[in-house]
Amino acid sequence: MKVSKRIVIIFISVTLISTCAYFIFGILMVKSFSKNEVKRAGSITNTVVQNLNKEVKDIDILGDVYKDDISKLIYLKEKYPNENIDKDISIDERLRKDKINYKFIMYLDKEEMKIGQTIEDEDYNEVVEISRDIIKKSKQSKVTGIITTNLYPYAVNINAIDVDNDKKIEMYLVLLKRYDKEQLLKMQEEVRRKIEISDTVPEDDSIDYSLYDEENILFQTKGTTIKSYYIIPKIRGYKDFALSVTEPRYVEMTAASHVGVLVLILIIIGILANFILYNLIKNKVVNRVQKISESVNNIIETANTEQVLEIDSLGDEITELTRDINGMLFRIVRASTSLEKNEEKYSNLVKSMTNGYIYLRIEMDDQVKAYDAIVLEMNYAAQRILKLTNESVINKRLSKLLENISAKSEEVLGALYKLSEENYSHIEQEVNLLDNVWVSISMYALEKGYLSIIITDITDIKKYSEEMKYLASYDTLTSLLNRHKLNNYLMELSSKGEEFSIIFIDLDNFKNLNDTLGHNVGDGVLCVVAEVLNSLSNENTTIARFGGDEFIIVRKGKNDMNQVTDLTNNVLYSLNRSFKFKNYVFQLKASAGISFYPQHSKDISTLLKYSDIAMYESKALGGNRFKFFEENMLSEIEIENKLRTAIEKGEFEVYFQPIYDVHSHKVSSAEALIRWFTDEGMIPPDKFIGIAKRSGDIIDIDNFVLREACKFCKENIKSRNKKFNVSINISQKSLKQENFIINLKELLKQYELEPRSIKLEITEDEIIEDPNATIEILNKIREIGVKIALDDFGIGYSSFNYIKTLPLDVIKIDRSLLISLEEDDKTLAIIETLINLCHMLNLEVVCEGVEVECQLQLLKDINCDKIQGYYISRPLAKGKFREFMEEN
Ligand code: C2E
Ligand code: CA
Ligand code: CA
């Protein structure tokens, strides 16, 4: 419905409703006026009624007066019968004299006979009748009230007269006053209202009994008047009479006419106001909105978004709206231009896309089922990938196109059916085309009945994914199975419940080779190792590279110790070969550990760990050997676990082994050696130092020993010898700690030690692990004045080259060299040469493991500087060390 129509309806309804409201209001108002008028009519009637009653009262008083007069008269008459005394006349006269207007005055004797009267009238007989009746029936000597004849109501007073006072009634005096016209006129004068006496109360609808009040007044509203009826109470009589007062309804009538005019005026004003309002709204709102709507429609029809709406000068909300619409139009223009641009951009994009793009319309059969599609558009990339021209394809069937490129058309069409019938929005498929080209086809359902196909050439990806699959399973360097594939293979074997053994192989000193000769050489060696292992494999063995220089051989079949031993020996033997790189000869060696499935464990990762533990055992024993896993090797793991809390629990103690100075014949230094006391007894360093080095716990141990040693050294310097110094074994891992030197300096400061009081012992094999970095650190340590000793010289590589190049102060010759010292002259000669060489290089020489006196003697002879060994003393706890020093 149009707004203008709606407004008209609203205004008409408002007018009607307000008119009704005014009417109701008017009626209510008039009603309230009329109520007041009724009240007033009532009160006037009351006044009249009071008048009536007053007459009755008056006649009562009058009766008493005349009763006495008449008694006197009769008495006189009887006493003086000769005297002419006319009692009737005298009373009449008297009444006249008194100007009292009574209708009748009667005397009635004992027999109720009339003995005197004043006026005879038409209802005279009725009056006498009623009076007699009253006298007969009344027991009182006086009766006052109202009686009615057939013609009038009368006020009446009847008095008994006892003339001679003998208590016997001789006669009655009856006074009557008629309520006739004359009387009514008198009353009317008083209240200035029309008063009537009627013999009946009209019984019609105009009588409002609801207004019947306790004064016995009935109200009758009739036309322009209210009539109130008062039913006159009688003591005896023929008829009922009602006194009626007529009250004109001036107020109500005028109110009614005024209210009527008021309502009429209000209605006219309302209609006028609505009309004006309607016109205002129509002109200022509806017409303008209509105009805007027409302009917008015009813009939409002509699609001319550059057109704008005219803006009026009223500056109200509609002007604002027009402005907003203009703003919107501006934005639409902008959006549509950018849309056009985007469309162009997308069309260009589709054209230049490297992915093929085909736009199709789906063909439906009678059952509205898709059976084919018609190609509507195809971009350049699609032509290139499918090797088809646009002309050969556009407006042709998709099935035909698929035939041309010899794809499996059923698959593609199947996808098409699925897309159109089921609720798929997108289906992807890989399809093999002619010439071994692979494409990925993505079908997208577009607007109803249309679809697009994006074609991606995935030939290369397919090729790569094959390669990736290979990479995921094989090690790129050696082409052996990688760790991941090995795991899968072992899982497979275990799930089949087949027995097998794992041979864990680790090259000895490979890190050193890698660091000194470079990664290329290292890689070359790893390839050679893979070749060797491959050459030894057969259908029952599988070889994998586990990581770094770790290889694993899986041997399928019964776990026969002898056969596995043979195989492992064969492997280690074959790997034990030397390589020559430029001037450097490298001796390849390997260690192995073996575990059995399911004997050692049924869990693959546990089994691998066990073979690793066994391999470490072989390494610990010097390498180039193999070990079968044994349960007790797990104690190492136990040790590793216990180590973690050993420091906290205070299970470590540092012992000190005296070092004897050959020149001064004194003990002027000691080596700090860790001791571990657990609840189950002492664990020797050889059992846990290696483990601690692997686990990293060695750092805490070394720090602990370093602190204890500094404390010990200080005590000895204070109490004994200013030159006393302590040697401390430091592992490579500790040295490499970032803040090692800072900590060392702090310790020296804390215990007020001179740096030369501290010697750090480092073993050759640890330096070899990372020579350059180690040398750098050792140099820095020496710079602050702390001394460095090369420990365990004589085992391992023991290259003189090292001694020359390393920043050292002391060489400690290993105990193993001294063992054959006594019998073997050659050894003695070697040691002597070594000592001389060291002296030439300004290095002090300490010989370890001197157990007997002759060893000491021989070493003295060849100029050894210091001696350490059981011959001097075993390592001692602090207290014992003090005792030892005091004894010597
Ligand atoms: P090491 O540094 O070569 O220490 C000397 C080892 O030879 C000590 O064994 C000592 O008790 C033993 N020894 C000394 N004199 C004789 C002798 O006359 N005859 C025999 N048969 N042995 C002798 P220990 O205390 O069992 O220490 C073994 C190795 O543990 C040490 O060899 C050292 O490499 C390492 N170690 C000990 N304490 C520490 C430490 O606090 N930190 C580090 N990193 N390694 C430590
Ligand atoms: Ca040592
Ligand atoms: Ca040593």
Side-chain angles (χ1 to χ4, degrees):
M1 199 191 285
K2 285 211 167 171
V3 178
S4 52
K5 228 184 203 172
R6 219 173 271 181
I7 292 170
V8 169
I9 290 173
I10 290 171
F11 282 168
I12 289 176
S13 350
V14 168
T15 313
L16 287 178
I17 290 168
S18 56
T19 308
C20 289
Y22 293 149
F23 261 122
I24 292 166
F25 164 73
I27 287 166
L28 287 178
M29 238 166 79
V30 171
K31 264 251 161 82
S32 87
F33 285 134
S34 106
K35 226 179 203 160
N36 281 335
E37 272 178 338
V38 168
K39 251 189 202 162
R40 209 180 47 224
S43 79
I44 290 166
T45 313
N46 265 332
T47 316
V48 176
V49 169
Q50 271 164 27
N51 249 328
L52 199 73
N53 290 337
K54 195 170 163 274
E55 300 278 357
V56 176
K57 239 181 239 163
D58 285 352
I59 206 168
D60 185 53
I61 297 164
L62 211 66
D64 287 346
V65 174
Y66 290 119
K67 177 188 127 184
D68 290 344
D69 280 1
I70 287 168
S71 295
K72 247 182 245 161
L73 268 173
I74 295 170
Y75 176 77
L76 289 174
K77 202 177 172 189
E78 277 180 10
K79 217 169 181 187
Y80 313 102
N82 303 327
E83 303 268 331
N84 189 17
I85 304 163
D86 189 341
K87 48 199 182 214
D88 294 341
I89 292 192
S90 68
I91 292 228
D92 266 348
E93 267 172 9
R94 209 177 146 160
L95 282 175
R96 263 191 297 277
K97 231 178 10 190
D98 291 347
K99 286 190 181 159
I100 295 166
N101 176 26
Y102 287 93
K103 212 61 195 170
F104 300 110
I105 299 171
M106 294 188 298
Y107 313 104
L108 298 176
D109 62 13
K110 273 175 276 182
E111 281 80 40
E112 295 157 24
M113 291 308 294
K114 187 189 77 179
I115 52 166
Q117 68 177 74
T118 50
I119 304 154
E120 264 190 52
D121 211 345
E122 54 219 298
D123 55 351
Y124 173 73
N125 289 331
E126 285 167 24
V127 171
V128 173
E129 192 75 21
I130 292 165
S131 303
R132 277 191 186 135
D133 199 36
I134 290 170
I135 290 165
K136 220 192 266 172
K137 281 175 188 158
S138 173
K139 278 165 190 127
Q140 260 102 29
S141 59
K142 183 170 96 170
V143 174
T144 313
I146 292 172
I147 57 162
T148 58
T149 64
N150 274 316
L151 297 174
Y152 297 108
Y154 293 87
V156 69
N157 174 257
I158 301 173
N159 259 313
I161 299 171
D162 175 15
V163 179
D164 49 6
N165 282 327
D166 62 352
K167 303 274 187 249
K168 277 181 194 160
I169 293 163
E170 282 93 20
M171 60 189 310
Y172 291 90
L173 170 68
V174 180
L175 287 182
L176 288 153
K177 186 169 189 183
R178 184 195 275 174
Y179 290 108
D180 51 14
K181 257 196 187 131
E182 223 176 299
Q183 193 64 35
L184 290 181
L185 276 172
K186 246 174 80 188
M187 280 191 200
Q188 249 172 222
E189 254 165 51
E190 216 169 293
V191 293
R192 272 184 265 143
R193 294 290 189 284
K194 190 182 171 195
I195 298 174
E196 286 164 304
I197 293 213
S198 57
D199 51 1
T200 43
V201 175
E203 280 181 7
D204 56 23
D205 294 346
S206 59
I207 292 290
D208 192 347
Y209 288 96
S210 69
L211 301 172
Y212 190 89
D213 66 4
E214 69 245 45
E215 243 84 40
N216 293 342
I217 300 170
L218 278 173
F219 294 95
Q220 179 189 35
T221 43
K222 216 172 189 185
T224 56
T225 56
I226 301 175
K227 249 184 172 175
S228 46
Y229 293 91
Y230 175 72
I231 299 156
I232 299 169
K234 64 176 197 264
I235 49 172
R236 191 138 313 157
Y238 288 93
K239 245 184 175 178
D240 274 339
F241 286 95
L243 191 70
S244 77
V245 179
T246 306
E247 170 76 11
R249 293 165 68 199
Y250 291 130
V251 180
E252 192 188 334
M253 290 330 280
T254 39
S257 71
H258 282 131
V259 169
V261 171
L262 186 75
V263 167
L264 199 70
I265 290 170
L266 282 177
I267 289 168
I268 291 168
I269 289 175
I271 290 170
L272 267 175
N274 279 342
F275 183 72
I276 293 168
L277 213 62
Y278 168 75
N279 270 317
L280 214 71
I281 291 174
K282 193 163 159 58
N283 289 333
K284 298 280 178 218
V285 181
V286 180
N287 287 352
R288 285 164 72 203
V289 170
Q290 223 157 28
K291 203 172 140 197
I292 293 172
S293 149
E294 273 162 18
S295 307
V296 170
N297 271 338
N298 184 35
I299 290 169
I300 290 169
E301 265 162 33
T302 56
N304 183 3
T305 38
E306 272 163 64
Q307 214 172 304
V308 288
L309 304 183
E310 201 181 301
I311 291 173
D312 52 33
S313 58
L314 290 171
D316 56 10
E317 286 88 340
I318 293 178
T319 318
E320 200 65 18
L321 175 74
T322 322
R323 224 172 260 139
D324 289 348
I325 291 175
N326 274 343
M328 204 171 71
L329 283 171
F330 174 69
R331 246 169 252 166
I332 290 172
V333 170
R334 224 169 41 186
S336 76
T337 18
S338 90
L339 205 69
E340 272 163 25
K341 267 188 203 156
N342 276 347
E343 232 166 63
E344 201 183 310
K345 213 156 71 187
Y346 287 124
S347 141
N348 286 339
L349 193 77
V350 167
K351 270 186 212 150
S352 61
M353 227 161 57
T354 50
N355 289 25
Y357 170 80
I358 304 179
Y359 181 55
L360 309 109
R361 187 183 62 238
I362 300 170
E363 292 288 280
M364 306 273 192
D365 61 15
D366 299 340
Q367 270 98 44
V368 205
K369 279 196 169 164
Y371 68 92
D372 209 334
I374 301 288
V375 178
L376 300 177
E377 216 181 305
M378 179 159 99
N379 74 346
Y380 176 71
Q383 297 172 43
R384 181 178 45 77
I385 296 169
L386 302 178
K387 300 191 179 76
L388 291 171
T389 57
N390 236 345
E391 296 75 51
S392 66
V393 172
I394 299 297
N395 290 328
K396 302 266 161 60
R397 288 185 186 289
L398 174 67
S399 52
K400 197 89 195 151
L401 181 150
L402 293 170
E403 258 170 44
N404 281 341
I405 55 175
S406 123
K408 286 185 184 159
S409 54
E410 320 84 62
E411 276 176 29
V412 182
L413 289 175
L416 170 76
Y417 308 147
K418 238 180 170 178
L419 198 69
S420 62
E421 267 158 45
E422 288 160 44
N423 259 345
Y424 286 93
S425 61
H426 172 213
I427 290 178
E428 205 158 314
Q429 220 168 39
E430 284 182 2
V431 181
N432 191 200
L433 306 183
L434 274 178
D435 305 335
N436 216 10
V437 172
W438 275 93
V439 292
S440 151
I441 283 182
S442 302
M443 283 191 182
Y444 294 90
L446 302 177
E447 67 267 30
K448 203 163 169 50
Y450 291 86
L451 77 148
S452 69
I453 298 179
I454 306 284
I455 304 165
T456 314
D457 188 344
I458 54 163
T459 316
D460 286 346
I461 295 173
K462 275 264 171 195
K463 218 157 68 191
Y464 283 133
S465 79
E466 293 298 322
E467 277 171 26
M468 290 302 283
K469 261 190 213 155
Y470 177 82
L471 285 181
S473 306
Y474 295 93
D475 172 49
T476 38
L477 179 68
T478 60
S479 298
L480 295 176
L481 287 189
N482 65 12
R483 193 180 186 138
H484 168 73
K485 189 71 187 176
L486 170 77
N487 246 336
N488 288 351
Y489 175 61
L490 293 177
M491 295 290 249
E492 194 187 309
L493 284 184
S494 72
S495 69
K496 282 188 203 156
E498 273 193 61
E499 246 180 58
F500 61 89
S501 42
I502 292 176
I503 305 167
F504 195 117
I505 298 162
D506 187 287
L507 304 183
D508 296 343
N509 297 322
F510 179 74
K511 192 175 181 329
N512 182 29
L513 165 96
N514 227 357
D515 292 349
T516 45
L517 297 176
H519 287 270
N520 285 342
V521 177
D523 285 353
V525 169
L526 290 175
C527 286
V528 171
V529 171
E531 243 169 66
V532 170
L533 296 179
N534 260 333
S535 72
L536 295 173
S537 74
N538 57 36
E539 70 271 17
N540 285 327
T541 52
T542 304
I543 296 156
R545 185 174 172 208
F546 198 60
D549 61 343
E550 297 163 340
F551 295 86
I552 279 181
I553 302 176
V554 182
R555 182 185 170 277
K556 243 179 7 182
K558 274 251 157 279
N559 285 324
D560 182 299
M561 279 261 208
N562 289 332
Q563 283 181 19
V564 178
T565 304
D566 284 350
L567 171 65
T568 315
N569 267 333
N570 203 358
V571 167
L572 294 187
Y573 177 77
S574 308
L575 289 178
N576 193 344
R577 52 172 71 189
S578 49
F579 292 90
K580 206 171 165 199
F581 294 106
K582 292 174 191 164
N583 304 332
Y584 196 88
V585 179
F586 175 74
Q587 186 63 39
L588 180 65
K589 280 178 191 169
S591 304
I594 301 159
S595 61
F596 290 153
Y597 179 91
Q599 288 84 348
H600 291 144
S601 172
K602 283 187 172 174
D603 177 63
I604 301 300
S605 67
T606 310
L607 212 59
L608 283 165
K609 201 168 87 191
Y610 284 177
S611 62
D612 188 19
I613 290 170
M615 186 278 292
Y616 258 106
E617 198 74 13
S618 310
K619 279 248 156 112
L621 293 169
N624 194 23
R625 69 189 72 201
F626 73 89
K627 276 268 176 193
F628 284 101
F629 170 75
E630 287 163 29
E631 284 294 321
N632 64 15
M633 289 176 186
L634 290 175
S635 64
E636 277 196 20
I637 293 168
E638 209 180 311
I639 286 173
E640 196 178 322
N641 291 337
K642 277 190 192 163
L643 259 178
R644 250 158 243 158
T645 52
I647 288 194
E648 282 163 37
K649 284 181 170 173
E651 291 176 338
F652 287 126
E653 198 181 324
V654 181
Y655 274 40
F656 296 92
Q657 186 173 32
I659 297 171
Y660 173 76
D661 189 328
V662 178
H663 307 299
S664 67
H665 309 288
K666 264 188 195 163
V667 170
S668 58
S669 57
E671 178 177 359
L673 294 159
I674 188 93
R675 293 294 176 264
W676 185 10
F677 300 98
T678 69
D679 297 338
E680 289 117 58
M682 212 261 294
I683 301 174
D686 287 335
K687 275 262 164 69
F688 70 86
I689 291 292
I691 298 170
K693 279 182 186 172
R694 254 178 277 145
S695 70
D697 290 315
I698 194 70
I699 294 168
D700 289 340
I701 294 174
D702 283 353
N703 278 336
F704 171 74
V705 175
L706 192 61
R707 178 172 291 275
E708 289 297 308
C710 286
K711 212 195 278 179
F712 174 79
C713 186
K714 181 71 194 172
E715 281 164 16
N716 274 287
I717 287 172
K718 258 189 180 168
S719 60
R720 217 158 277 114
N721 182 353
K722 272 194 178 168
K723 286 195 172 160
F724 194 85
N725 58 74
V726 184
S727 293
I728 300 132
N729 297 289
I730 290 291
S731 75
Q732 152 98 351
K733 275 208 170 108
S734 302
L735 274 185
K736 274 193 168 171
Q737 284 297 296
E738 235 175 83
N739 47 3
F740 179 79
I741 292 178
I742 298 170
N743 283 348
L744 184 63
K745 276 188 188 166
E746 253 169 37
L747 274 176
L748 292 174
K749 206 169 140 195
Q750 189 183 344
Y751 292 104
E752 299 165 315
L753 287 172
E754 281 181 48
R756 64 178 164 82
S757 308
I758 300 296
K759 271 189 201 120
L760 299 181
E761 296 188 5
I762 180 152
T763 58
E764 219 176 343
D765 56 331
E766 293 218 53
I767 296 173
I768 282 168
E769 262 189 32
D770 190 359
N772 293 338
T774 315
I775 288 171
E776 207 183 306
I777 300 164
L778 293 182
N779 271 327
K780 282 185 187 158
I781 293 171
R782 286 186 81 220
E783 267 166 34
I784 61 170
V786 171
K787 306 255 187 265
I788 305 288
L790 182 68
D791 206 354
D792 297 350
F793 190 82
I795 52 169
Y797 318 98
S798 300
S799 146
F800 283 106
N801 244 5
Y802 267 133
I803 303 181
K804 219 165 69 188
T805 49
L806 289 173
L808 299 172
D809 301 284
V810 180
I811 301 290
K812 288 187 88 169
I813 296 173
D814 192 73
R815 166 168 80 85
S816 58
L817 274 185
L818 298 192
I819 289 169
S820 50
L821 190 67
E822 297 136 81
E823 307 103 55
D824 189 358
D825 287 349
K826 259 192 204 159
T827 312
L828 191 65
I830 290 171
I831 297 175
E832 190 174 3
T833 318
L834 181 63
I835 293 174
N836 286 336
L837 186 86
C838 287
H839 285 164
M840 263 161 35
L841 292 170
N842 247 342
L843 296 168
E844 192 183 73
V845 181
V846 180
C847 280
E848 287 184 307
V850 175
E851 292 183 350
V852 287
E853 204 205 334
C854 70
Q855 284 175 331
L856 171 70
Q857 213 48 56
L858 283 170
L859 293 168
K860 259 187 184 172
D861 292 345
I862 56 170
N863 245 345
C864 175
D865 301 304
K866 283 174 177 169
I867 302 286
Q868 181 183 351
Y870 292 172
Y871 179 69
I872 309 295
S873 167
R874 286 182 176 258
L876 302 167
K878 260 186 182 179
K880 284 269 163 34
F881 190 91
R882 211 174 298 131
E883 281 172 24
F884 170 83
M885 292 297 274
E886 271 152 23
E887 274 170 26
N888 298 282

